[in-house]
Amino acid sequence: MQDSFSSEDLDTWAHRPATVSRRERIGVAEAAVEIYAPSPIVDYVRWYTEGYFGPQQSPAQARLFVHEVPLELRRSVQQARLSPPLRRAVLPSAPDTICLVDDGHQAVHLLLPTGPEPQPVQAVVRILRALVLHELLRRGHPFFHAACFVLRETGVALIGAHRAGKTTTLLHALDQPETALVSNDKFALLPAAESSEPPVALGFPIQVGIRAGSVLALAEGPLRAFLMHRWPQRYGDLTARHEGDTRLHVRPQELAAASGSEVIPRFRLSMALEPHLDPLAIKPRLERLNGADCKALWARHSLLHPAAVFPQQAAVVDPTTRAELRIPQIPAYRLVQPPAVGPLTTRLLEDLICRTAVGE
């Protein structure tokens, strides 16, 4: 290994036969990333992102190289001087992973220790996702901190303040028939093919963070049984209600399967809900938001910069990228509900869908 590294040196080194064992183009139709990695890592990425990302034929906007290297080689790379436009990126979620960014060739190189453990391999998924999301931002597609599900063929966005009940409402919805999961934390807003049609919510493979209270609020059934079994494996007694922000993280695909549902990676939005917990409320109710309140709601939860959408991986992309805020022109409601409301909320939504033209 040389004392200094240039983009050309790294590109030559990365393409050695012993380094690259598999090459695939993965992402969404609007943004693809070419990944070069050992087959087990590519298989893991395909499994983790199944239903959201898939093989793409369109040209790739970025390349991701994953190298398994012995400890002595990692030390050599850590000590080498990098020539611009090559730079190091620090990943707070995986500080032991060496990440080199080649801005001149739109490439990211991850150096993992030989025989990687699950956590470093998850870093590959996060970087791949960051590169896909960056390209969508670059194309002007805004992101929102919101969940999205499909209920009786109606796309519903859950958008609101922290701890307002978005995840609990989402779980109650998934616990009912004819419901599918689109996204649980963030989604991109894509324009519809026709201007008269609703916009499209594009979901991503982001784990669902579920608190103990959300699990205990579920009615008896397959979804509650799945989460009640999973929680003790990670944290111990569920009924102890762990303090703070303790969450059980579950892949959205597993959550959908446990509820007898499925993942739909993209769907047209028909309405938005702002969950609001009211201890004095006796039963859930819906309040229609006016145009100004609706616009303010979407603006408060918009994510227009890479550092807002994926702060842990923002260092690997262009920080000046910015999307333009677009407000979905769909009805919005404030969902006022008492704590532990149960399935009454879902019945209320089903009634709304049935008696409005939105759900026809």
Side-chain angles (χ1 to χ4, degrees):
M1 183 65 65
Q2 300 171 218
D3 293 334
S4 64
F5 241 13
S6 67
S7 296
E8 291 73 19
D9 294 331
L10 184 56
D11 197 52
T12 300
W13 178 66
H15 282 87
R16 292 180 304 169
T19 304
V20 178
S21 55
R22 190 163 159 192
R23 167 184 170 185
E24 287 198 20
R25 199 171 294 167
I26 300 175
V28 296
E30 297 80 4
V33 174
E34 203 154 54
I35 181 171
Y36 300 71
S39 287
I41 293 179
V42 176
D43 290 338
Y44 179 87
V45 170
R46 292 283 299 272
W47 167 79
Y48 197 98
T49 63
E50 183 182 11
Y52 288 101
F53 295 168
Q56 301 296 324
Q57 299 299 320
S58 57
Q61 288 75 36
R63 294 180 298 165
L64 173 58
F65 294 88
V66 182
H67 317 289
E68 292 181 301
V69 297
L71 181 60
E72 61 273 13
L73 184 55
R74 283 168 48 83
R75 288 173 178 166
S76 179
V77 174
Q78 285 177 321
Q79 297 169 2
R81 179 174 52 85
L82 303 182
S83 302
L86 199 61
R87 59 183 174 85
R88 289 184 177 86
V90 178
L91 306 177
S93 60
D96 295 330
T97 299
I98 298 177
C99 180
L100 304 180
V101 181
D102 185 348
D103 292 313
H105 294 84
Q106 292 184 294
V108 176
H109 297 259
L110 289 180
L111 277 66
L112 304 181
T114 303
E117 297 298 326
Q119 186 62 30
V121 176
Q122 287 179 10
V124 180
V125 175
R126 295 188 183 110
I127 296 300
L128 172 70
R129 187 172 59 208
L131 294 173
V132 171
L133 303 189
H134 173 257
E135 178 59 20
L136 291 169
L137 281 174
R138 192 185 67 80
R139 294 189 179 196
H141 303 309
F143 281 76
F144 294 95
H145 185 196
C148 182
F149 62 91
V150 179
L151 175 62
R152 297 188 183 278
E153 299 300 317
T154 298
V156 181
L158 288 171
I159 179 170
H162 180 61
R163 304 199 77 145
K166 295 190 296 294
T167 301
T168 302
T169 304
L170 176 65
L171 292 177
H172 284 314
L174 290 176
D175 211 19
Q176 304 300 313
E178 299 186 56
T179 306
L181 176 62
V182 177
S183 196
N184 66 282
D185 186 67
K186 299 179 180 72
F187 64 74
L189 190 70
L190 306 181
E194 301 291 336
S195 58
S196 59
E197 296 179 342
V200 174
L202 177 64
F204 290 88
I206 301 174
Q207 289 187 330
V208 187
I210 305 171
R211 297 185 183 90
S214 297
V215 178
L216 295 172
L218 285 170
E220 294 293 340
L223 184 55
R224 179 184 169 105
F226 167 76
L227 294 173
M228 292 283 285
H229 176 71
R230 179 66 67 88
W231 187 283
Q233 294 178 333
R234 181 68 177 85
Y235 296 115
D237 184 14
L238 172 66
T239 58
R241 285 179 175 262
H242 291 255
E243 299 297 328
D245 202 37
T246 301
R247 302 186 190 192
L248 175 69
H249 289 90
V250 182
R251 289 173 59 240
Q253 301 93 327
E254 292 180 277
L255 192 66
S259 63
S261 181
E262 62 179 338
V263 164
I264 299 179
R266 61 179 73 202
F267 203 86
R268 282 203 288 262
L269 286 178
S270 295
M271 68 173 67
L273 299 176
E274 180 192 15
H276 177 75
L277 291 177
D278 182 359
L280 301 180
I282 299 175
K283 61 181 181 179
R285 68 180 187 273
L286 290 166
E287 301 173 352
R288 179 73 179 262
L289 299 181
N290 60 36
D293 288 341
C294 180
K295 183 176 181 179
L297 175 67
W298 286 101
R300 281 197 306 272
H301 300 282
S302 62
L303 306 170
L304 306 179
H305 300 276
V309 182
F310 41 95
Q312 296 290 314
Q313 290 79 42
V316 304
V317 299
D318 181 1
T320 64
T321 303
R322 177 184 174 87
E324 179 182 353
L325 176 62
R326 293 199 304 271
I327 304 298
Q329 300 303 307
I330 57 176
Y333 302 84
R334 179 170 292 114
L335 173 61
V336 181
Q337 51 188 341
V341 67
L344 289 177
T345 294
T346 307
R347 296 196 193 109
L348 183 67
L349 299 182
E350 290 177 328
D351 290 343
L352 174 66
I353 291 170
C354 290
R355 60 185 167 82
T356 63
V358 173
E360 296 177 358

Tab-separated table of all heavy atoms in Angstrom, residues 160-201:
chain	number	residue	atom	x	y	z
A	160	GLY	N	-46.876	14.015	11.855
A	160	GLY	CA	-47.142	14.756	13.079
A	160	GLY	C	-45.933	14.828	13.983
A	160	GLY	O	-44.839	14.383	13.637
A	161	ALA	N	-46.139	15.370	15.168
A	161	ALA	CA	-45.060	15.616	16.114
A	161	ALA	C	-44.516	14.317	16.702
A	161	ALA	O	-45.159	13.262	16.647
A	161	ALA	CB	-45.562	16.530	17.234
A	162	HIS	N	-43.322	14.415	17.272
A	162	HIS	CA	-42.687	13.289	17.951
A	162	HIS	C	-43.568	12.815	19.098
A	162	HIS	O	-44.104	13.622	19.864
A	162	HIS	CB	-41.320	13.742	18.476
A	162	HIS	CG	-40.551	12.691	19.209
A	162	HIS	ND1	-40.155	11.511	18.614
A	162	HIS	CD2	-40.100	12.649	20.499
A	162	HIS	CE1	-39.484	10.788	19.501
A	162	HIS	NE2	-39.450	11.457	20.649
A	163	ARG	N	-43.771	11.490	19.187
A	163	ARG	CA	-44.563	10.854	20.233
A	163	ARG	C	-46.038	11.252	20.174
A	163	ARG	O	-46.742	11.219	21.192
A	163	ARG	CB	-43.990	11.153	21.617
A	163	ARG	CG	-42.530	10.740	21.773
A	163	ARG	CD	-42.118	10.614	23.209
A	163	ARG	NE	-42.623	9.352	23.768
A	163	ARG	CZ	-41.965	8.630	24.669
A	163	ARG	NH1	-40.784	9.018	25.091
A	163	ARG	NH2	-42.476	7.537	25.147
A	164	ALA	N	-46.522	11.602	19.001
A	164	ALA	CA	-47.938	11.956	18.857
A	164	ALA	C	-48.812	10.722	18.657
A	164	ALA	O	-50.035	10.819	18.709
A	164	ALA	CB	-48.131	12.920	17.689
A	165	GLY	N	-48.180	9.580	18.395
A	165	GLY	CA	-48.950	8.356	18.195
A	165	GLY	C	-48.931	7.828	16.782
A	165	GLY	O	-49.775	7.006	16.412
A	166	LYS	N	-47.941	8.235	15.975
A	166	LYS	CA	-47.885	7.768	14.588
A	166	LYS	C	-47.668	6.257	14.508
A	166	LYS	O	-48.375	5.557	13.775
A	166	LYS	CB	-46.769	8.497	13.821
A	166	LYS	CG	-46.987	9.988	13.652
A	166	LYS	CD	-45.994	10.606	12.691
A	166	LYS	CE	-44.560	10.518	13.182
A	166	LYS	NZ	-44.316	11.307	14.395
A	167	THR	N	-46.684	5.751	15.256
A	167	THR	CA	-46.392	4.319	15.192
A	167	THR	C	-47.545	3.491	15.750
A	167	THR	O	-47.907	2.455	15.190
A	167	THR	CB	-45.094	4.001	15.962
A	167	THR	OG1	-44.014	4.741	15.390
A	167	THR	CG2	-44.766	2.524	15.883
A	168	THR	N	-48.140	3.945	16.850
A	168	THR	CA	-49.264	3.209	17.426
A	168	THR	C	-50.430	3.153	16.445
A	168	THR	O	-51.057	2.104	16.255
A	168	THR	CB	-49.713	3.868	18.741
A	168	THR	OG1	-48.610	3.902	19.648
A	168	THR	CG2	-50.854	3.083	19.377
A	169	THR	N	-50.723	4.286	15.796
A	169	THR	CA	-51.799	4.325	14.803
A	169	THR	C	-51.478	3.413	13.629
A	169	THR	O	-52.349	2.696	13.120
A	169	THR	CB	-52.021	5.767	14.309
A	169	THR	OG1	-52.294	6.617	15.422
A	169	THR	CG2	-53.180	5.832	13.334
A	170	LEU	N	-50.209	3.414	13.207
A	170	LEU	CA	-49.797	2.547	12.108
A	170	LEU	C	-49.986	1.074	12.472
A	170	LEU	O	-50.492	0.280	11.662
A	170	LEU	CB	-48.330	2.821	11.768
A	170	LEU	CG	-47.701	1.932	10.686
A	170	LEU	CD1	-48.361	2.166	9.342
A	170	LEU	CD2	-46.196	2.201	10.585
A	171	LEU	N	-49.596	0.694	13.683
A	171	LEU	CA	-49.751	-0.694	14.105
A	171	LEU	C	-51.219	-1.106	14.169
A	171	LEU	O	-51.583	-2.205	13.764
A	171	LEU	CB	-49.088	-0.906	15.464
A	171	LEU	CG	-47.565	-0.803	15.516
A	171	LEU	CD1	-47.068	-0.967	16.947
A	171	LEU	CD2	-46.914	-1.825	14.605
A	172	HIS	N	-52.075	-0.215	14.684
A	172	HIS	CA	-53.508	-0.522	14.721
A	172	HIS	C	-54.048	-0.737	13.310
A	172	HIS	O	-54.872	-1.626	13.080
A	172	HIS	CB	-54.283	0.604	15.404
A	172	HIS	CG	-54.140	0.620	16.899
A	172	HIS	ND1	-54.262	-0.519	17.664
A	172	HIS	CD2	-53.892	1.624	17.766
A	172	HIS	CE1	-54.092	-0.202	18.936
A	172	HIS	NE2	-53.856	1.089	19.020
A	173	ALA	N	-53.572	0.076	12.369
A	173	ALA	CA	-54.032	-0.073	10.982
A	173	ALA	C	-53.572	-1.404	10.398
A	173	ALA	O	-54.346	-2.115	9.751
A	173	ALA	CB	-53.527	1.099	10.137
A	174	LEU	N	-52.291	-1.760	10.630
A	174	LEU	CA	-51.767	-3.013	10.098
A	174	LEU	C	-52.443	-4.222	10.726
A	174	LEU	O	-52.446	-5.308	10.140
A	174	LEU	CB	-50.256	-3.095	10.335
A	174	LEU	CG	-49.382	-2.148	9.513
A	174	LEU	CD1	-47.921	-2.284	9.921
A	174	LEU	CD2	-49.539	-2.412	8.032
A	175	ASP	N	-53.024	-4.024	11.904
A	175	ASP	CA	-53.694	-5.122	12.600
A	175	ASP	C	-55.051	-5.459	11.983
A	175	ASP	O	-55.693	-6.422	12.392
A	175	ASP	CB	-53.885	-4.744	14.071
A	175	ASP	CG	-53.844	-5.964	14.994
A	175	ASP	OD1	-53.324	-7.003	14.570
A	175	ASP	OD2	-54.333	-5.858	16.126
A	176	GLN	N	-55.473	-4.658	10.993
A	176	GLN	CA	-56.764	-4.861	10.347
A	176	GLN	C	-56.570	-5.451	8.941
A	176	GLN	O	-55.521	-5.283	8.318
A	176	GLN	CB	-57.518	-3.530	10.238
A	176	GLN	CG	-57.704	-2.827	11.563
A	176	GLN	CD	-58.484	-3.649	12.553
A	176	GLN	OE1	-59.531	-4.206	12.215
A	176	GLN	NE2	-57.992	-3.737	13.786
A	177	PRO	N	-57.573	-6.153	8.406
A	177	PRO	CA	-57.465	-6.675	7.044
A	177	PRO	C	-57.464	-5.544	6.020
A	177	PRO	O	-57.872	-4.419	6.322
A	177	PRO	CB	-58.714	-7.565	6.917
A	177	PRO	CG	-59.671	-7.033	7.932
A	177	PRO	CD	-58.839	-6.535	9.065
A	178	GLU	N	-56.997	-5.862	4.826
A	178	GLU	CA	-56.958	-4.919	3.706
A	178	GLU	C	-56.073	-3.713	3.990
A	178	GLU	O	-56.343	-2.600	3.538
A	178	GLU	CB	-58.360	-4.457	3.323
A	178	GLU	CG	-59.274	-5.594	2.864
A	178	GLU	CD	-60.602	-5.091	2.349
A	178	GLU	OE1	-60.598	-4.265	1.420
A	178	GLU	OE2	-61.638	-5.515	2.890
A	179	THR	N	-55.000	-3.931	4.764
A	179	THR	CA	-54.037	-2.867	5.038
A	179	THR	C	-52.648	-3.334	4.627
A	179	THR	O	-52.289	-4.488	4.843
A	179	THR	CB	-54.022	-2.495	6.527
A	179	THR	OG1	-55.347	-2.173	6.951
A	179	THR	CG2	-53.134	-1.289	6.775
A	180	ALA	N	-51.866	-2.433	4.025
A	180	ALA	CA	-50.494	-2.742	3.623
A	180	ALA	C	-49.587	-1.593	4.040
A	180	ALA	O	-50.018	-0.440	4.142
A	180	ALA	CB	-50.410	-2.966	2.115
A	181	LEU	N	-48.328	-1.912	4.290
A	181	LEU	CA	-47.348	-0.929	4.738
A	181	LEU	C	-46.579	-0.357	3.543
A	181	LEU	O	-46.085	-1.096	2.701
A	181	LEU	CB	-46.372	-1.589	5.716
A	181	LEU	CG	-45.217	-0.739	6.234
A	181	LEU	CD1	-45.723	0.463	7.013
A	181	LEU	CD2	-44.286	-1.575	7.103
A	182	VAL	N	-46.494	0.963	3.476
A	182	VAL	CA	-45.673	1.628	2.465
A	182	VAL	C	-44.360	2.072	3.098
A	182	VAL	O	-43.281	1.712	2.646
A	182	VAL	CB	-46.412	2.839	1.846
A	182	VAL	CG1	-45.506	3.558	0.837
A	182	VAL	CG2	-47.697	2.384	1.162
A	183	SER	N	-44.430	2.868	4.168
A	183	SER	CA	-43.215	3.340	4.837
A	183	SER	C	-43.560	3.715	6.265
A	183	SER	O	-44.690	4.117	6.551
A	183	SER	CB	-42.632	4.553	4.100
A	183	SER	OG	-41.307	4.798	4.489
A	184	ASN	N	-42.595	3.588	7.165
A	184	ASN	CA	-42.896	3.803	8.577
A	184	ASN	C	-42.273	5.059	9.159
A	184	ASN	O	-42.650	5.502	10.229
A	184	ASN	CB	-42.408	2.608	9.407
A	184	ASN	CG	-40.891	2.504	9.381
A	184	ASN	OD1	-40.327	2.027	8.403
A	184	ASN	ND2	-40.206	2.951	10.427
A	185	ASP	N	-41.318	5.678	8.492
A	185	ASP	CA	-40.618	6.805	9.094
A	185	ASP	C	-40.413	7.966	8.126
A	185	ASP	O	-40.619	9.117	8.482
A	185	ASP	CB	-39.267	6.349	9.638
A	185	ASP	CG	-38.555	7.441	10.403
A	185	ASP	OD1	-39.053	7.826	11.480
A	185	ASP	OD2	-37.518	7.927	9.930
A	186	LYS	N	-40.003	7.666	6.922
A	186	LYS	CA	-39.762	8.698	5.916
A	186	LYS	C	-40.236	8.198	4.553
A	186	LYS	O	-40.139	7.011	4.258
A	186	LYS	CB	-38.270	9.049	5.819
A	186	LYS	CG	-37.651	9.600	7.092
A	186	LYS	CD	-36.171	9.893	6.870
A	186	LYS	CE	-35.524	10.439	8.135
A	186	LYS	NZ	-35.353	9.406	9.171
A	187	PHE	N	-40.725	9.107	3.743
A	187	PHE	CA	-41.003	8.743	2.354
A	187	PHE	C	-40.723	9.934	1.445
A	187	PHE	O	-40.751	11.090	1.879
A	187	PHE	CB	-42.436	8.217	2.162
A	187	PHE	CG	-43.545	9.199	2.440
A	187	PHE	CD1	-43.836	10.235	1.561
A	187	PHE	CD2	-44.339	9.067	3.566
A	187	PHE	CE1	-44.865	11.121	1.796
A	187	PHE	CE2	-45.374	9.946	3.829
A	187	PHE	CZ	-45.642	10.984	2.934
A	188	ALA	N	-40.420	9.631	0.197
A	188	ALA	CA	-40.221	10.662	-0.815
A	188	ALA	C	-41.540	10.908	-1.515
A	188	ALA	O	-42.361	10.003	-1.674
A	188	ALA	CB	-39.166	10.226	-1.823
A	189	LEU	N	-41.742	12.139	-1.941
A	189	LEU	CA	-42.966	12.494	-2.657
A	189	LEU	C	-42.643	12.621	-4.141
A	189	LEU	O	-41.838	13.456	-4.543
A	189	LEU	CB	-43.530	13.809	-2.120
A	189	LEU	CG	-44.922	14.174	-2.613
A	189	LEU	CD1	-45.958	13.233	-2.021
A	189	LEU	CD2	-45.254	15.621	-2.254
A	190	LEU	N	-43.263	11.764	-4.934
A	190	LEU	CA	-43.048	11.767	-6.370
A	190	LEU	C	-44.290	12.298	-7.073
A	190	LEU	O	-45.415	11.985	-6.665
A	190	LEU	CB	-42.752	10.355	-6.881
A	190	LEU	CG	-41.613	9.590	-6.196
A	190	LEU	CD1	-41.441	8.223	-6.855
A	190	LEU	CD2	-40.313	10.378	-6.256
A	191	PRO	N	-44.128	13.073	-8.133
A	191	PRO	CA	-45.307	13.555	-8.862
A	191	PRO	C	-45.984	12.406	-9.595
A	191	PRO	O	-45.342	11.449	-10.018
A	191	PRO	CB	-44.724	14.580	-9.834
A	191	PRO	CG	-43.293	14.146	-10.025
A	191	PRO	CD	-42.868	13.559	-8.714
A	192	ALA	N	-47.300	12.483	-9.734
A	192	ALA	CA	-48.040	11.478	-10.482
A	192	ALA	C	-47.823	11.680	-11.970
A	192	ALA	O	-47.368	12.738	-12.427
A	192	ALA	CB	-49.523	11.566	-10.142
A	193	ALA	N	-48.124	10.639	-12.742
A	193	ALA	CA	-47.954	10.714	-14.188
A	193	ALA	C	-48.836	11.807	-14.786
A	193	ALA	O	-48.427	12.519	-15.706
A	193	ALA	CB	-48.281	9.364	-14.825
A	194	GLU	N	-50.037	11.974	-14.254
A	194	GLU	CA	-50.965	13.010	-14.688
A	194	GLU	C	-51.119	14.036	-13.580
A	194	GLU	O	-51.212	13.686	-12.404
A	194	GLU	CB	-52.332	12.405	-15.036
A	194	GLU	CG	-52.289	11.352	-16.139
A	194	GLU	CD	-51.952	11.942	-17.498
A	194	GLU	OE1	-52.202	13.157	-17.677
A	194	GLU	OE2	-51.455	11.206	-18.363
A	195	SER	N	-51.149	15.323	-13.956
A	195	SER	CA	-51.233	16.382	-12.951
A	195	SER	C	-52.513	16.322	-12.134
A	195	SER	O	-52.566	16.810	-11.002
A	195	SER	CB	-51.135	17.747	-13.640
A	195	SER	OG	-52.175	17.893	-14.605
A	196	SER	N	-53.559	15.711	-12.685
A	196	SER	CA	-54.833	15.621	-11.971
A	196	SER	C	-54.847	14.480	-10.948
A	196	SER	O	-55.772	14.397	-10.134
A	196	SER	CB	-55.976	15.414	-12.974
A	196	SER	OG	-55.774	14.226	-13.733
A	197	GLU	N	-53.843	13.606	-10.975
A	197	GLU	CA	-53.798	12.472	-10.064
A	197	GLU	C	-53.062	12.829	-8.779
A	197	GLU	O	-52.220	13.730	-8.762
A	197	GLU	CB	-53.104	11.277	-10.735
A	197	GLU	CG	-53.845	10.723	-11.941
A	197	GLU	CD	-53.097	9.574	-12.576
A	197	GLU	OE1	-51.875	9.441	-12.304
A	197	GLU	OE2	-53.713	8.811	-13.323
A	198	PRO	N	-53.338	12.121	-7.665
A	198	PRO	CA	-52.626	12.378	-6.398
A	198	PRO	C	-51.145	12.041	-6.531
A	198	PRO	O	-50.761	11.188	-7.350
A	198	PRO	CB	-53.326	11.446	-5.402
A	198	PRO	CG	-54.626	11.077	-6.029
A	198	PRO	CD	-54.392	11.109	-7.504
A	199	PRO	N	-50.282	12.657	-5.710
A	199	PRO	CA	-48.855	12.333	-5.735
A	199	PRO	C	-48.610	10.936	-5.184
A	199	PRO	O	-49.484	10.320	-4.578
A	199	PRO	CB	-48.239	13.412	-4.836
A	199	PRO	CG	-49.344	13.766	-3.902
A	199	PRO	CD	-50.608	13.669	-4.698
A	200	VAL	N	-47.380	10.454	-5.381
A	200	VAL	CA	-47.011	9.104	-4.971
A	200	VAL	C	-46.057	9.166	-3.791
A	200	VAL	O	-45.077	9.920	-3.791
A	200	VAL	CB	-46.351	8.347	-6.143
A	200	VAL	CG1	-45.833	6.986	-5.685
A	200	VAL	CG2	-47.341	8.183	-7.296
A	201	ALA	N	-46.336	8.362	-2.764
A	201	ALA	CA	-45.413	8.199	-1.635
A	201	ALA	C	-44.500	7.026	-1.938
A	201	ALA	O	-44.971	5.926	-2.235
A	201	ALA	CB	-46.187	7.948	-0.337
